[in-house]
Each structure stands twice: as C-alpha cells, then as structure tokens.
C-alpha cells in the first residue's frame, strides 16, 4: 500500500492479504527496530540452491555451491542467492560441498575443541562459522513474522517472533570409521497456520513459526590414505506449512432463551400459604375464584412485560 493520510497509511508497506494470507503471496517478515518492524521487501527468504552471478566467481553462476566466508585465506568467498517463501507452498533448498578427507575433518570440527581432541589442532572451514561451526548456508536472521497478510509494521502486536532453535554442539570425528557424527547438516522451518473467522470466508493466520537446525552423520567412503579425491556432502533447508485441522473447530450455538419468566416466591400470597387447609363448599368456591383471579392477573402482567 502507498502512503496515504486519507487511508491511514503512514508508511509504504506490502500486503499479502486483507486481512488473511492469500496462497502464493510472500510471508511477511522483518526485524525489530525499537517499537516498529523493519519489514523486508521480499518477505521471508531462504538461501537459494542456485548461486547468483558474481563477477569475482563467474564460474559458480547457476551451480549448486554452498556459500563460503567473505574472506578466507585471502580468497573472496562465494555468496548464496535467496528464494522467497510463498504462503502455503512447501519448498526445499539445498547445496553440496566437495570435500577431501582433511576438508571434511575441518568442517566437522570447526569451532569445536571437543570434536577431535587427539589431533591437537584448532580447525576452521570456509563453509562454516569459526565460532559456532554452523555452515553459512544456514545463516539465519532473527526476525518477526506477520500474523496476518496485512500486518502493520508500526504495530508490533501484529507480528510474532520466529523461534530459532540450535541443538547442543555434540560433533565428534571418528578417525577409524571416517565418520562425523552430529554434524549440522540441515534446517527445518515450519509455519503453523489456522483459518479464522467465519466458515464461509476464512482468513489464514500464521499462529507461530520455528527454524530448527538439524544434525546428521557424514561418512567419508574413500580410502583412508586418499587425501586428494573428494566426495559430495549435501546441505538442505525445508520449509513447510502446517494447517490446523478443521476437525478441531466447532460451531457456536446460542443458548435458548428461558421459557418462563421468574416471579417472586410469594406472588400467590395469601392465596397459598403453609397453614392447614380448611374445606367447605363456600370456601372452595371462593378459593377457586381467587386463584383464577390471581392467575389472570399474573398473565396480564406477563403480557405487559
């Protein structure tokens, strides 16, 4: 939407629905800045499986190459492209690294002193952060997801923070089996969606979201004395939308109104009391007349009400 004081739009912003998300529209995403949200133009994105054109590395254009550090051993790194996440559409993005035995050990144990302690070496790799050991392909920007497709960046209550979860670092290298256990090899991103409002016109709402780094095992299948041959190891990112089942929803039934109005307990006093009854012909006829009169009076009062 454009800036318009008439429509109450103080800043230019992007919409993916009004109010609920529409299928195929970008998932709104942005960073917190004070009391507002700096909304990203492309919405929520993940690293692309295809490398963008880079004048410094034209040979990598269009290839599935994992991103490298911006500067490693004096060599400019390779950056990753980005792919927009569209509401309601699951996607998978990935890349692969070609590693020889020593490069695999470096990536496996980068930033971890307990991974291969017997080596007595501090490892580092151009594909991962030297402190955390998490590959650059899983570079994550903490931010907020628009709850509805028309979330206002000037109102933080219309946004939910995405949860970022990283498992405890338990990477280990087994020299005998050439195996890297508990390697950070994937990321799973999930959006929990519910349809709100009336059944005839439901509005899609993102209830919560999470980005979780996963681990796995990498094994070098080459001979132990082969230090030159390389093997491909994949990294992947999956994005999925989980729609809340409609079976959990229920119709709201308006309670029925009371059939009779409430009256005071002594409305028939002194016609009815706790004294023992006395029966006689004259008293019975008089009592019947009195009761009829009382009932007609109460009915008249009910009609007036």
């Amino acid at each position: 939407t454009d800036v318009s004081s008439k429509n109450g739009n103080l800043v230019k912003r992007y919409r993916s629905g009004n109010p609920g998300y529409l299928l195929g529209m970008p998932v709104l995403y942005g960073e917190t800045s004070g009391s507002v949200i700096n909304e990203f133009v492309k919405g929520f994105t993940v690293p692309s499986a295809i490398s963008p054109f880079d004048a410094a590395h034209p040979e990598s254009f269009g290839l599935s190459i994992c991103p490298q550090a911006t500067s490693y051993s004096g060599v400019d790194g390779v950056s990753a492209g980005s792919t927009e996440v569209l509401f309601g559409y699951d996607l998978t993005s990935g890349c692969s690294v070609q590693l020889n035995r020593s490069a695999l050990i470096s990536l496996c144990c980068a930033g971890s002193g307990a991974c291969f302690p017997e080596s007595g070496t501090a490892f580092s790799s151009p594909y991962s952060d030297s402190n955390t050991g998490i590959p650059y392909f899983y570079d994550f920007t903490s931010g907020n997801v628009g709850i509805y497709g028309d979330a206002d960046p000037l109102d933080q209550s219309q946004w939910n923070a995405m949860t970022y979860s990283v498992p405890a670092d338990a990477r280990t290298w087994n020299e005998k089996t050439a195996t890297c256990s508990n390697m950070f090899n994937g990321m799973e991103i999930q959006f929990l969606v519910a349809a709100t409002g009336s059944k005839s016109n439901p509005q899609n709402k993102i209830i919560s979201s999470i980005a979780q780094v996963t681990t796995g095992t990498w094994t070098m299948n080459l001979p132990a004395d082969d230090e030159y041959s390389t093997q491909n190891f994949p990294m992947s990112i999956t994005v999925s939308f989980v729609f809340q089942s409609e079976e959990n929803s229920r119709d709201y039934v308006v309670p029925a109104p009371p059939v009779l109005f409430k009256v005071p307990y002594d409305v028939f006093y002194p016609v009815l009391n706790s004294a023992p009854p006395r029966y006689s012909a004259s008293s019975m006829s008089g009592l019947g007349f009195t009761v009829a009169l009382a009932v007609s009076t109460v009915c008249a009062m009910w009609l007036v009400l």
Side-chain angles (χ1 to χ4, degrees), residues 44 46 162 187-191 210-212 237-240:
F44 185 74
V46 296
M162 175 177 281
M187 175 181 281
E188 296 178 354
I189 301 173
Q190 291 185 336
F191 295 92
I210 183 174
Q212 183 173 10
I237 295 178
T238 60
V239 179
S240 59

Side-chain angles (χ1 to χ4, degrees), residues 97-239:
V97 289
Q98 292 185 344
L99 305 173
N100 57 22
R101 188 182 185 88
S102 61
L104 174 59
I105 297 175
S106 297
L107 179 56
C108 176
C109 300
S112 173
C115 177
F116 191 20
E118 55 268 27
S119 67
T121 304
F123 296 98
S124 62
S125 172
Y127 296 103
S128 63
D129 185 274
S130 59
N131 296 319
T132 63
I134 298 178
Y136 291 118
F137 188 65
Y138 307 130
D139 187 22
F140 181 80
T141 302
S142 299
N144 303 270
V145 178
I147 299 176
Y148 284 102
D150 64 345
D152 188 350
L154 300 182
D155 184 2
Q156 287 192 9
S157 65
Q158 299 184 27
W159 301 73
N160 279 336
M162 175 177 281
T163 302
Y164 181 53
S165 176
V166 180
D169 190 359
R171 292 171 293 159
T172 56
W173 171 259
N174 188 317
E175 183 67 13
K176 294 182 179 180
T177 60
T179 299
C180 177
S181 302
N182 301 311
M183 175 62 190
F184 302 123
N185 67 344
M187 175 181 281
E188 296 178 354
I189 301 173
Q190 291 185 336
F191 295 92
L192 180 59
V193 182
T196 62
S198 64
K199 284 190 174 182
S200 60
N201 185 27
Q203 302 296 312
N204 292 317
K205 169 186 178 181
I206 296 179
I207 300 176
S208 62
S209 56
I210 183 174
Q212 183 173 10
V213 177
T214 60
T215 60
T217 300
W218 283 359
T219 301
M220 176 65 73
N221 297 320
L222 299 175
D225 57 351
D226 188 350
E227 287 290 339
Y228 300 99
S229 300
T230 60
Q231 180 177 328
N232 288 333
F233 294 92
M235 299 183 186
S236 63
I237 295 178
T238 60
V239 179

Side-chain angles (χ1 to χ4, degrees), residues 43 68 78 90 146 149 232 237 257 261 266 281:
Q68 301 179 30
V78 178
D90 298 346
N232 288 333
I237 295 178
F261 56 89
D266 58 349

Side-chain angles (χ1 to χ4, degrees), residues 16 24-28 40-48 81-87 89-93 191 239 241:
S16 294
M25 296 299 290
V27 174
L28 301 185
F40 296 166
V41 175
K42 292 185 177 181
F44 185 74
T45 61
V46 296
S48 173
S82 61
T83 300
E84 295 183 28
V85 175
L86 304 180
F87 180 83
Y89 289 87
D90 298 346
L91 68 85
T92 299
S93 179
F191 295 92
V239 179
F241 290 82

Side-chain angles (χ1 to χ4, degrees), residues 62-81:
L63 300 179
S64 175
I65 299 178
C66 295
Q68 301 179 30
T70 54
S71 179
Y72 184 82
S73 299
V75 180
D76 293 335
V78 178
S79 60

